[in-house]
Amino acid sequence: MKKTLKRAPAVFLPVVAVAANGITAFAAETGGSSPVDDTAASMISGITGMVSSVSSAIGQVIPHALNIVMAVLIIVNVLLVFWAYQV
């Protein structure tokens, strides 16, 4: 029982500190946009940046990928033609 009582302040004080910090931060807000609006704007900005990056990467990869696909298709068709005439 004594161990539990000794640990209580170690657990209680951080919880109170975090709660008090949140209250003071909320009380210090002086208008402007709400945290929800800030969060939504940040998420939209981040997602827009990711879409731009992925689009750029796809645009750089597609020409090389198409060349590889065309080479594979040509090789497969040539092999099919040779196989059809050998049988």
Side-chain angles (χ1 to χ4, degrees), residues 10-80:
V11 173
F12 182 70
L13 290 177
V15 171
V16 171
V18 168
N21 188 17
I23 292 170
T24 56
F26 182 72
E29 194 173 325
T30 58
S33 62
S34 71
V36 174
D37 293 337
D38 292 341
T39 304
S42 297
M43 290 178 66
I44 290 170
S45 172
I47 291 172
T48 305
M50 286 189 295
V51 168
S52 175
S53 298
V54 169
S55 299
S56 173
I58 289 173
Q60 292 175 356
V61 169
I62 282 182
H64 302 293
L66 288 177
N67 287 337
I68 293 171
V69 169
M70 288 301 296
V72 169
L73 286 175
I74 289 171
I75 291 170
V76 167
N77 284 328
V78 167
L79 291 175
L80 286 175

